[in-house]
Amino acid sequence: MIKRAATPSAPGSLLASGVTRSFTSGSITTRVLGGVDLAVQPGEMTLIVGPSGSGKSTLLAVMSGLLRPDGGTVHALGCDLWKQPPDAIDRFRLEHCGFVFQGFNLFPALTAAEQVVLPLQYTGLSSGAARARAEEALAAVGLRDKAALYPLALSGGEKQRVAVARAIAKKPQLLFADEPTSALDKENGANVARLLHAIAHAQGATVLCVSHDPRLITHADRVVRIEDGVLTSDERNTAVTNPDPLVVPELN
Amino acid sequence: MRPLTSPPAADHNVKERADTGRVSLARRTLLYEWRRYLAALLAVAFSGLLVLVQIALLLGMFRTTTTVVENAAADLWLVEPTVASFDLARELSPRAENRARAHPAVQRTERLALAFADWRGPQGARVAITLVALDVSPGSLAFPRSLPDKLREALQPAGTVLVDQADLNKLGVQYVRDGAEIDGRRVQVAGVTTGFRAIGGAMVFVSEATYREIRGGASRDTPHYVLAGLAPGQDVAAVRQELSEIGGSLFRVMTPDELASMSQLYWLLESGTGIGFLFSTVLGLLVGVAITSQTLRAAVLSSLREYATLRALGVPLPALRAVVLEQATWIGAAGFAVTALATVLVVGIAISAGVAVAVTWWAVLGTALFSMLVSIVSGLMSLGPLLRTEPAELLR
């Protein structure tokens, strides 16, 4: 049985319609997304869940401008994303998108502060402004005191919070997270989940998260299930357990 | 009242941090993982050293053929038109000297002759030598400026010769005033020169009179070169042009630099060593590029996920390419610095061992460019994995 969430009247900040995508390996072509329609709203955290191989990560990649779909359209912030030339899509991501991945993907040679400053430098911010933003973002994830540490000196949870700080420092309108908690223990996982939820609510950002981690469900405002490349349910989570939103509101 | 003294420490810190400027991923990674990049730096440094030391040795070797030219005080040299290198001299027309002397700007002319001869040392050692016969009168243009005037005077008595320090053993000479034979004529060693080592055989200086005595009937009294000294204040280029027109097909007029360069280039190209040098330079380039590109490539591969994350965050590909090329440039610059230091060391050892080496500014510049070429080509070759980075692959 498919339960449909009451579709909000707002068109959404991130819209996928009729998105299809196949992968070819040798002579075998596998259809990963079979015509997905999804409207994601700003100011809330939307979670896509599904078993592995269900196409959830592919959907995230298509909706975030990382992977070109075979068919269908993606409208992000009113822009028909895949109609743009590649460098315009790069620029769109640079200006509007933050990413958090399962692996923390931090450069071993850079301190926590520098990890955050590095992508900001390409947005045209002066180095002074970039450093101020980085300090702010690290404070927001509770790592003000660890700004000068290298990844080697940080715990897994701290590394993922640096990665979150790197993603949110440019104050993106769209924040994408792929399995952001699966490499973390219970407490750190919950911290990061609360952080993502708080960013959506405090900044009005559109947070789209993909995971098979059931612990994340309690933190999401909306949970979309996908199976075999088709959405099977779309539920609004009324009782979001988000007692301690860390310190994110500082980021404004 | 409390005095208002030093500013708060916190403010000072903030200012200092703001002044550090942009974060350079290339430099931070090079410094943090220097052990990884050391192999690349040494590869660039050694391939540069290989090239520079080879040039120094070749130039040193070929310069020995033109030390006489480079140490003479002549403004212009009259050369038989088909001569390709100073040491491969041919007889000039006897009219050449008169024609040069007739030019009003020419103050002094001298003849210089070269001849192969047979040396028989005091203990009977036989060596093939090159006789250099020159004017030994006061104000001589041909007599090497690098040698004391006393040696020029020592050559004035007939039957005296000067031999070089580096050839003493070869020639079997132990003492000044040792007797020897050249082509069967008795001569006496009147002094010892320095800096006139020859590649093969030995260079022996004699006066024109002694030369005629040794050559006897074989001498047709025709010089191989005529040296011209101009009156002070004359325009060498203009006189050279006028003398060339006068010379026609009888002789060419060359400045000492032209004659020296022509001779060195001839040996570089004709002797086959030039090709050998080119071959080993290409080899050095290949080895340097192979090691450096592999090192850079391994570094790129180990950070591929981080680079892909930057791509996802919208950092354009050319900016990431610039990171790798910046690393390559720093490796090239640091590698060349090591080359320069090592060259100073090697050349120092060579000079103290009496090996003929010559380092010129263009050889150093050429090697610097070579080092940059090695590292930039390596950087370009290591870009492959980076260009294939698909940030979407981070989502699997």
Side-chain angles (χ1 to χ4, degrees), chain A residues 96-117:
Chain A
H96 304 295
C97 301
F99 285 89
V100 180
F101 298 104
Q102 177 178 1
F104 320 121
N105 304 342
L106 302 178
F107 287 99
L110 301 185
T111 64
E114 288 166 338
Q115 311 276 359
V116 183
V117 167

Side-chain angles (χ1 to χ4, degrees), chain A residues 178-215:
Chain A
D178 179 59
E179 304 282 5
T181 58
S182 28
L184 301 178
D185 61 25
K186 187 179 168 204
E187 194 191 332
N188 280 309
N191 278 343
V192 168
R194 276 198 293 268
L195 211 45
L196 295 174
H197 182 270
I199 289 159
H201 285 260
Q203 293 182 43
T206 305
V207 177
L208 183 61
C209 187
V210 153
S211 186
H212 64 258
D213 183 354
R215 297 173 301 179

Side-chain angles (χ1 to χ4, degrees), chain B residues 136-162:
Chain B
V136 292
S137 60
S140 167
L141 298 173
F143 194 80
R145 285 174 291 181
S146 61
L147 299 177
D149 208 44
K150 204 170 66 207
L151 283 179
R152 181 185 58 77
E153 286 164 11
L155 263 191
Q156 281 172 339
T160 56
V161 302
L162 297 179

Side-chain angles (χ1 to χ4, degrees), chain B residues 80-135:
Chain B
E80 201 276 333
T82 62
V83 164
S85 174
F86 173 72
D87 54 310
L88 305 175
R90 297 173 79 99
E91 287 178 350
L92 269 177
S93 156
R95 286 173 289 164
E97 187 178 12
N98 289 335
R99 292 216 184 164
R101 195 176 279 164
H103 192 286
V106 174
Q107 200 170 48
R108 178 182 174 123
T109 59
E110 282 176 21
R111 309 153 141 240
L112 186 140
L114 297 179
F116 293 116
D118 182 43
W119 170 277
R120 193 183 166 94
Q123 273 83 45
R126 298 185 81 105
V127 182
I129 59 166
T130 303
L131 277 180
V132 183
L134 33 75
D135 189 324

Side-chain angles (χ1 to χ4, degrees), chain A residues 135-147:
Chain A
E135 238 168 83
E136 207 182 331
L138 283 171
V141 299
L143 289 178
R144 191 197 287 277
D145 300 337
K146 312 233 165 171

Side-chain angles (χ1 to χ4, degrees), chain A residues 23 57 60-61 66 90 93-94 99 101 105-110 114 121-122 127 131 135 150 166 170 178, chain B residues 17 20-23 25 28-29 32-33 305-306 309-315 319 391-392 394-396:
Chain A
F23 287 107
S57 291
L60 184 85
L66 294 181
D90 279 358
R93 291 202 311 272
L94 186 63
F99 285 89
F101 298 104
N105 304 342
L106 302 178
F107 287 99
L110 301 185
E114 288 166 338
Q121 286 179 164
Y122 296 99
S127 46
R131 283 186 183 266
E135 238 168 83
Y150 289 90
R166 173 170 66 184
K170 61 179 162 187
D178 179 59
Chain B
R17 221 183 292 171
T20 47
R22 283 177 73 86
V23 175
L25 180 59
R28 301 283 282 123
T29 308
Y32 187 84
E33 297 176 29
R305 298 184 67 84
E306 288 75 31
T309 304
L310 291 184
R311 287 287 294 125
L313 288 168
V315 176
L394 291 172
L395 295 169
R396 298 255 173 98

Side-chain angles (χ1 to χ4, degrees), chain A residues 16-237:
Chain A
S17 40
V19 168
T20 59
R21 173 75 206 202
S22 302
F23 287 107
T24 306
S25 169
S27 58
I28 302 162
T29 299
T30 319
R31 189 164 188 127
V32 181
L33 292 178
V36 175
D37 300 309
L38 181 63
V40 186
Q41 307 303 321
E44 60 181 36
M45 174 172 164
T46 302
L47 178 65
I48 302 174
V49 294
S52 63
S54 59
K56 56 187 190 302
S57 291
T58 305
L59 180 59
L60 184 85
V62 167
M63 293 184 75
S64 61
L66 294 181
L67 184 70
R68 185 174 288 277
D70 297 334
T73 58
V74 174
H75 281 85
L77 306 174
C79 161
D80 189 348
L81 202 53
W82 292 108
K83 287 264 158 56
Q84 312 297 316
D87 57 330
I89 297 176
D90 279 358
R91 203 159 50 242
F92 182 86
R93 291 202 311 272
L94 186 63
E95 283 166 10
H96 304 295
C97 301
F99 285 89
V100 180
F101 298 104
Q102 177 178 1
F104 320 121
N105 304 342
L106 302 178
F107 287 99
L110 301 185
T111 64
E114 288 166 338
Q115 311 276 359
V116 183
V117 167
L118 185 64
L120 287 178
Q121 286 179 164
Y122 296 99
T123 62
L125 278 182
S126 73
S127 46
R131 283 186 183 266
R133 283 272 191 102
E135 238 168 83
E136 207 182 331
L138 283 171
V141 299
L143 289 178
R144 191 197 287 277
D145 300 337
K146 312 233 165 171
L149 294 186
Y150 289 90
L152 211 58
L154 297 171
S155 71
E158 287 167 342
K159 283 183 206 167
Q160 191 61 303
R161 274 146 71 194
V162 173
V164 172
R166 173 170 66 184
I168 64 174
K170 61 179 162 187
K171 300 181 180 168
Q173 287 158 276
L174 306 173
L175 181 60
F176 300 94
D178 179 59
E179 304 282 5
T181 58
S182 28
L184 301 178
D185 61 25
K186 187 179 168 204
E187 194 191 332
N188 280 309
N191 278 343
V192 168
R194 276 198 293 268
L195 211 45
L196 295 174
H197 182 270
I199 289 159
H201 285 260
Q203 293 182 43
T206 305
V207 177
L208 183 61
C209 187
V210 153
S211 186
H212 64 258
D213 183 354
R215 297 173 301 179
L216 261 176
I217 294 176
T218 53
H219 297 276
D221 299 296
R222 179 182 174 198
V223 180
V224 177
R225 280 178 203 282
I226 184 170
E227 236 166 285
D228 294 331
V230 185
L231 301 189
T232 54
S233 83
D234 186 347
E235 294 168 337
R236 211 149 263 292
N237 203 347

